[in-house]
Each structure stands twice: as C-alpha cells, then as structure tokens.
Amino acid sequence: MDGLGQRVLVIAFDGWNDAGEAASAAVAHLRASGTYEESYSVDPELYFDYQYTRPQVRLTSEGAREIVWPDATLWRPPASNGAAPRLWLLTGVEPARAWQAFAAEIVDAALSEDVTGIVALGSMMSDVPHTRPISVFAGSDNDNLRTSLGLERPTYEGPVGILSVVAAAAEDAGIPTVALWASVPAYVAGHSPSPKATLALLDRLGDITGAEIPRGELPAEALAWEASIDAAAADDEEMTEYIRQLEATRDTWDSPEASGDAIAQEFERYLRRGGEGPSKPGRDDPRR
C-alpha cells in the first residue's frame, strides 16, 4: 500500500498519551487477536523511575509470587507470504528519563525488523459528548503521507509526550510516521477504560494501513459503555445539561458549514493544557 508500506509498527504507551486507556487497549486488542512473539525489549533500568512507575507483584499460574517490571516491548507478527499489510506492535510504559536514547533504541529495533511505516496511537481528554462518534485526529509531519493518505499537518507548539519524540526520531531515520489521537469525553473518568475510543482508533488504523483488524467484542462493549454513562447522566441534571451543550457544539462541527480544522484545534487546546481535560468535576488526567 502506498504510504506506510506493508510492514507497519503500531505503538502506544501507558500514561500521559493514554486517556481512557484507549490507545494501550487498542494495541492490547491487536495482540490478543493474533499470534505475536517478542522481538525486542528495552532494559527497564535505563529508562524507568520505579518511584513513579512502580514494579508490581503478581501470582504465577503455579501460585508463586513474581515481580513484573515496567517495560517497552516490540512484538513481531507471524510470517506471511501474502500481500496484506502486517502489523508489528510496540507496547509499554512512557519512560521517565533518557527519551532521546529510548527513541533511538526503539527506531533501531524497528529498522532491524524492516518496518516500513509507524502509526502512533494516543488518546486525549476533550470537550466532546459520549453520544456522538469518537473523533480521531490523523496527522503527520511527512509530506508524502499527508498527500497519499489525506492527513492533517500538525501545527501544535508546546509540551509533548514520548509518542512525538519517537515519531520525530523515526522520520529522521527515514520511517514515515502517522499519529492517531482519539478524543475521549472529559467527564467520563468513572467509566474508564473507554472501548468506544479504542474501537475508533482501530477503525482508523485499518483505514490508514489497509490491514484487516478484527473488532471482536468491542462494538458491544462500546454500546455498554455508552449506556452506563447515559444511566449516570439520567440522575444528574447538571451533567445532562452539560452533555446537551457538548452535543450542540459537536453537531455544529459536523455540519457542512463547519471548518475542517475543528478536531485539530481541539487537539492543540488539549496539549496546551498540558494533557489535562477541561476543568469539569471528575476529570481524568491522562498522565496518570
């Protein structure tokens, strides 16, 4: 496929880039839907602050206790002789230090797998209603990708997460990169994770890469998620009115007269807030 090629790496990180756990859940869904083997993993001692991202103790199937350390791991899909795009996966925790070295290590691992393109998945808290389709901002700094895939040119200036650092390093190394960001309603902190946002990211990923992505139980989970918020709003008059206002704004955006820059502008407002949702009760901080 023109643009990203046939060997595409999909990346997502827990933390600042992952409001509603939508991005990390998307990669977890892909991994659970296929057969992947570990290709590469970073040394956690180099990049993670264990007081910020603590290791966890878990029980094994035999009942023994083991410590699981924060990581970032590259997963390889099964070999294929067909022409369909193959998706590599990178999942892990946003590192606490040495971001340039971390990005260089990830890009080197991608190059060793002959990856031809990268799609970075993120999710952000936004002033959007849960009752409308989840908006996904699709952008790239690569001129050829914007032309071939109809993407936006990012214009944001300000603080960024590890996704932007890895994307910049990949572009410098000659790997074209796309960023997909889902807008998660900021008032749904008590209803995380957000399968509706995860599904929106996966559907857009399929459009961008041409890969067939199984949706599994996500459509049903998205409906249940939306219904649970409807039920909560029904008992809260202030929340109901707030949602109505968001719906009116979204419907204006979606009207034929609306500017095509609406989603991009919301994305920039989100980043200028330092990754925080708007100042509404119960907001969710995606940097958790």
Side-chain angles (χ1 to χ4, degrees), residues 1-2 4-8 82-88 116-117 209:
M1 181 178 180
D2 185 34
L4 291 169
Q6 302 298 109
R7 303 167 68 91
V8 180
R86 297 167 62 201
L87 301 181
W88 276 250
T116 57
T209 62

Side-chain angles (χ1 to χ4, degrees), residues 13 42 47-48 72 90 93 95 97-107 162 166:
F13 292 94
V42 302
Y47 301 115
F48 299 107
L90 175 66
V93 181
R97 53 179 171 263
W99 280 19
Q100 293 183 73
F102 178 89
E105 190 169 336
I106 294 302
V107 170
I162 191 61
V166 172

